[in-house]
Amino acid sequence: MKRYIFLSILIAVAGITVSCGGGEQLQSSYPGEDAALQKAKRATDKLMGTLMGEVKKSMQEDGPAGAVRHCADRAMELTDEVSEAEGVRMRRVTDKPRNNLAVPDAYEKKMLARFASAMESGTLQPVSEVVELDGRPVLRYVRPLTMKEPCLTCHGDDAQIAGNVREVLAERYPGDRATGYHAGELRGAISVIVPLEDGD
């Protein structure tokens, strides 16, 4: 009987605890985790749907240079609006930033490296896990972004970027590193942090 109880405890502990190379990941099923994940997905869908719609409209009305200006003026503002509305912290990150605010933190760098490996094996998927951040449990959700054909007008190589677009990029982003991409390549990720209750 004692052996059965001991084995049951071991199975229960194994079922709720996982290791993540430094012990930062918490329980695999945390109170509120499912709701937080849905919130993170909803926020990323809303951000990308709205931003892409606005950029597409701007490109139709003002051409690629106008779309770059619109994205420069609106992307961060829209990210903040959606984050506040959904109760999350969200941003776009990349290892080839156009804007210094898109530089990834240590966790995001790890996820970008993971996505790069997944691209090679054809297993690219978003990642979500509960971790401790500043002493509090949070859900971190990171969705990879790949380069789409229309985006090459301002993220492609020199032959694909028109002169007036290059002028706007030089004006708005003097240290721009976000060019030279090809369709289908990993561009970066949307990173979302959703606060969780302690579960005490």
Side-chain angles (χ1 to χ4, degrees), residues 5 11 29 42 53 70 79 82 87 98 106 109 112 114 133 136 146 157 163 165-166 168 173 185 187:
I5 293 172
I11 292 169
S29 181
R42 185 171 60 245
H70 181 86
T79 302
V82 175
R98 172 159 285 172
K109 283 181 182 177
L112 289 172
R114 178 174 175 170
L133 184 65
R136 305 289 293 181
T146 54
D157 55 36
V165 174
R166 282 199 294 271
V168 175
Y173 306 106
E185 289 185 332
R187 167 72 182 102

Side-chain angles (χ1 to χ4, degrees), residues 33 47 59-60 69-70 76 81 105 119 123 127 131 139 158-159 164 180:
E33 181 178 352
L47 173 63
M59 189 170 289
Q60 291 170 342
R69 288 190 188 93
H70 181 86
M76 295 302 298
E81 288 175 5
D105 64 21
M119 287 284 289
T123 58
V127 172
V131 301
L139 176 91
D158 284 343
N164 63 340

Side-chain angles (χ1 to χ4, degrees), residues 96-143:
K96 291 175 63 177
R98 172 159 285 172
N99 184 324
N100 287 335
L101 295 175
V103 174
D105 64 21
Y107 181 89
E108 292 158 345
K109 283 181 182 177
K110 184 172 69 173
M111 292 302 106
L112 289 172
R114 178 174 175 170
F115 293 152
S117 296
M119 287 284 289
E120 294 178 7
S121 62
T123 58
L124 189 63
Q125 295 289 334
V127 172
S128 70
E129 59 184 345
V130 176
V131 301
E132 187 175 290
L133 184 65
D134 299 327
R136 305 289 293 181
V138 300
L139 176 91
R140 295 207 70 159
Y141 175 76
V142 189
R143 179 190 292 186

Side-chain angles (χ1 to χ4, degrees), residues 7-22:
L7 286 174
S8 297
I9 292 171
L10 281 180
I11 292 169
V13 170
I16 64 170
T17 308
V18 292
S19 171
C20 185

